[in-house]
Amino acid sequence: MSAAVCPYCRAAIEPDEEQAVCPGCGTPHHADCFEENGGCTVFGCSAAPPAEPKLSIGAPDLDQTGMAAAPFAPSTPVPPPPLPGSTGAPPPPLPGQPAPPAAPEPPPMFSSLGYGPSHPTPIPVPAPRYNFPPPEWAIDPALPRKNRSAYIVLGVLLGGFGVHSFYAGSIKKGFFQLGITLLTFGLAGFMVWIWAIIDICTITTDHDGIPFRN
């Protein structure tokens, strides 16, 4: 069987501890807790201690204690009124003394971007445009251009010897293809011919970048 819990201190009441049972609701308490609270701790019990009376302060009490004064004081001191006959401007400097420096103008309270002084908006500078010159074949239509039909025929018939590359102006590539066929005594000529078929299907310009003429 679990021990009872004192509702005042929330601790278990051991069998060897002195306890006090509320005469109103029968709730067990520690004897010290019941005495310290002045009665039962259970809310609404008839044996609970009476509630303390609330303190109320009216307007006459506030006037007598001086608490009804204005709660806020002005944040900035009010300058005294100017003397009769004066314009409110600072007095002129005495002869032989330098004039006092003029007070700087205060920055504007608001700006186009929010609070604080205004800042000039930078003018965007357009990025320079680079006009690249057109290729030579577009400038001079009369420039000699290689025939694509001849390039295809040379690649199909003599592609194993790199003749189509020589015709397009790729001299190094042509010598490389020719050297593979000659050094292998024609054994790798079929591979070079497949290479030539790929060239005639994908290449549309000569070695200088000028498109073939149809």
Side-chain angles (χ1 to χ4, degrees):
M1 182 177 179
S2 59
V5 178
C6 177
Y8 183 78
C9 63
R10 303 295 181 182
I13 302 175
E14 301 297 337
D16 55 347
E17 292 181 340
E18 184 181 358
Q19 62 178 349
V21 180
C22 175
C25 61
T27 304
H29 295 69
H30 287 112
D32 298 338
C33 297
F34 193 85
E35 182 180 358
E36 181 180 352
N37 189 45
C40 183
T41 314
V42 180
F43 178 76
C45 180
S46 60
E52 297 180 358
K54 297 182 180 180
L55 179 63
S56 60
I57 300 177
D61 299 333
L62 294 177
D63 295 339
Q64 293 177 3
T65 56
M67 298 179 62
F72 299 100
S75 57
T76 55
V78 179
L83 299 177
S86 62
T87 59
L94 298 176
Q97 293 184 356
E105 296 182 359
M109 183 177 299
F110 300 96
S111 64
S112 59
L113 299 180
Y115 296 95
S118 59
H119 300 279
T121 304
I123 301 176
V125 180
R129 297 182 179 179
Y130 299 97
N131 298 323
F132 296 96
E136 295 181 359
W137 60 268
I139 298 177
D140 188 5
L143 196 68
R145 298 164 61 185
K146 303 295 179 65
N147 193 329
R148 180 170 176 77
S149 299
Y151 179 74
I152 294 175
V153 172
L154 292 176
V156 173
L157 299 179
L158 301 175
F161 299 96
V163 178
H164 67 292
S165 299
F166 288 111
Y167 177 77
S170 302
I171 306 299
K172 294 183 180 180
K173 182 178 179 180
F175 276 114
F176 185 74
Q177 293 173 340
L178 178 62
I180 292 177
T181 303
L182 296 180
L183 292 177
T184 58
F185 299 100
L187 298 179
F190 180 75
M191 298 176 59
V192 179
W193 181 78
I194 296 297
W195 185 2
I197 296 300
I198 296 175
D199 286 346
I200 64 177
C201 293
T202 57
I203 297 176
T204 58
T205 60
D206 60 5
H207 181 68
D208 297 329
I210 300 176
F212 289 123
R213 176 171 51 86
N214 295 328

